[in-house]
Amino acid sequence: MTDKPKILSVGGMDPRVEEALAPDFEVLSTRAALLDSLVNGHGPDILALVTRGQFPVNAALIAALPKLQLIANYGVGYDTVDCAAAAARRVIVTHTPDVLNDEMADFTIGLMLATIRQLPQAEAYLRSGGWEARGMYPLTASLRDRKIGIAGLGRIGQTLAQRLQAFRRPVAYYARTARPHVNLQYFASLEDLAEAVDVLIVLLPGGAATRHAINAAVLNKLGPNGILINVARGSVVDETALIAALREGAILAAGLDVFEDEPRVPQALRDCANAVLTPHIGTGTYYTRGLMGDLVIANIRSWFAGQGPLTPVPETPWPPPALA
Ligand code: 8YV
């Protein structure tokens, strides 16, 4: 027995986070398969939960933890956490904003250039002996004659937009409302943005409100010369429509770091030679995952020191609104 506060860790948390918490907390670590037995055994004692978004923290799980006070999400996107259920119980949800903006902006530019210039395909050509056997790699598309659109101009989108200035290409954006201090062309509709640009970079948050926001109509507007880059959430893009668009040439190419049913990526998408596919590695560096882990730990420590959360999500503000 221990009197340390109990924390439930779901979905393969960064071990560094669990190790850092271990001296002061009893960390019950689980993957989905063991969750039921852990919740049955410890549910009434669990005060906090850490998650990295690979397993849903839904209303049923929140209900099974009657003393839950805090859900600390290791990631800026928290679409797998049912924030409405948390808010109804006055459970605070935290995430890891800002510390990953630079990494995500760097990665997005890398994926965009790799997709436009076909870097993975060209490398595979060399490795397989194609250069010697068949000669120079075919010419590719260029960023030089393209206009770039950003769908979603939050923290990462704004950091990316700053980086893109160095590329001396026009940049436009879509957001639900125009950002007052942003000096970029604004579109109030995704279809209109897609029609106006040649590269469409998706940075919209996941969740019900944005599910399949990038659909066949948007892809058709992007057009046969268009390139789609998605580093946000797989749910934002209608993957079936995207596969059809890639196959039929309705768009030119796609660079994808996120997928609808991770880690499962449809064979039909893997078969698309005009897609560059990476396994959700946008923030996946020692440096940035370290900063994200530090922020998860700092939120938990601050909370249990009675000082409130450091980075709560807007749906569970701190201090909480007065009860009606
Ligand atoms: C993941 C992410 O959280 O921050 C986000 O929203 O998608 C990523 O950083 C990361 O893969 C940890 O699982």
Side-chain angles (χ1 to χ4, degrees):
M1 286 295 286
T2 163
D3 54 6
K4 294 177 188 171
K6 282 189 186 176
I7 298 181
L8 180 64
S9 170
V10 298
M13 179 52 54
D14 176 350
R16 222 181 45 89
V17 172
E18 294 183 352
E19 282 159 23
L21 293 171
D24 302 306
F25 300 91
E26 185 180 348
V27 183
L28 305 162
S29 181
T30 180
R31 291 189 176 266
L34 293 172
L35 186 61
D36 284 350
S37 62
L38 259 185
V39 167
N40 286 338
H42 299 273
D45 304 324
I46 287 165
L47 303 184
L49 186 152
V50 286
T51 174
R52 64 185 299 172
Q54 290 172 352
F55 183 78
V57 180
N58 54 25
L61 178 55
I62 292 169
L65 307 174
K67 288 201 187 137
L68 187 66
Q69 302 171 4
L70 183 75
I71 300 170
N73 187 60
Y74 176 91
V76 66
Y78 51 94
D79 48 307
T80 54
V81 178
D82 188 336
C83 288
R89 278 266 311 280
R90 301 176 82 72
V91 172
I92 297 293
V93 180
T94 65
H95 65 150
T96 61
D98 293 321
V99 295
L100 40 64
N101 294 348
D102 285 318
E103 196 75 72
M104 283 302 299
D106 293 351
F107 176 78
T108 305
I109 285 171
L111 183 59
M112 175 183 75
L113 292 174
T115 306
I116 296 175
R117 295 300 313 275
Q118 302 183 0
L119 298 186
Q121 297 95 323
E123 207 227 18
Y125 184 80
L126 181 153
R127 283 183 191 269
S128 67
W131 192 8
E132 269 182 78
R134 298 195 295 281
M136 295 296 286
Y137 189 77
L139 302 187
T140 70
S142 171
L143 181 63
R144 290 300 95 215
D145 54 0
R146 283 173 186 269
K147 178 168 175 172
I148 304 167
I150 304 176
L153 207 69
R155 302 174 182 88
I156 298 171
Q158 290 180 43
T159 307
L160 175 67
Q162 286 166 4
R163 295 264 197 302
L164 287 175
Q165 284 179 13
F167 288 84
R168 294 178 290 104
R169 298 307 315 150
V171 178
Y173 74 102
Y174 159 85
R176 269 182 304 176
T177 52
R179 298 273 183 268
H181 304 297
V182 171
N183 189 21
L184 299 173
Q185 188 182 9
Y186 170 68
F187 288 88
S189 124
L190 276 170
E191 285 191 33
D192 291 347
L193 175 68
E195 189 165 31
V197 301
D198 314 288
V199 180
L200 181 59
I201 300 175
V202 182
L203 278 169
L204 292 165
T210 57
R211 188 179 139 72
H212 289 186
I214 307 294
N215 53 22
V218 174
L219 295 170
N220 284 333
K221 295 279 187 185
L222 189 56
N225 190 39
I227 291 178
L228 182 78
I229 304 296
N230 186 11
V231 291
R233 283 293 180 265
S235 60
V236 179
V237 175
D238 180 342
E239 214 164 64
T240 307
L242 175 61
I243 292 167
L246 286 167
R247 278 180 161 175
E248 292 157 15
I251 67 169
L252 185 67
L256 309 171
D257 187 46
V258 289
F259 304 89
E260 279 205 63
D261 187 25
E262 296 174 10
R264 285 160 291 276
V265 177
Q267 189 60 46
L269 188 50
R270 294 196 238 166
D271 289 342
C272 289
N274 52 349
V276 173
L277 311 174
T278 51
H280 201 148
I281 55 168
T283 61
T285 62
Y286 292 115
Y287 181 87
T288 292
R289 288 284 171 83
L291 294 179
M292 291 162 61
D294 288 348
L295 190 48
V296 169
I297 294 162
N299 266 294
I300 292 171
R301 291 202 180 283
S302 174
W303 177 263
F304 284 101
Q307 287 160 2
L310 300 179
T311 48
V313 303
E315 293 86 341
T316 63
W318 185 263
L323 283 175

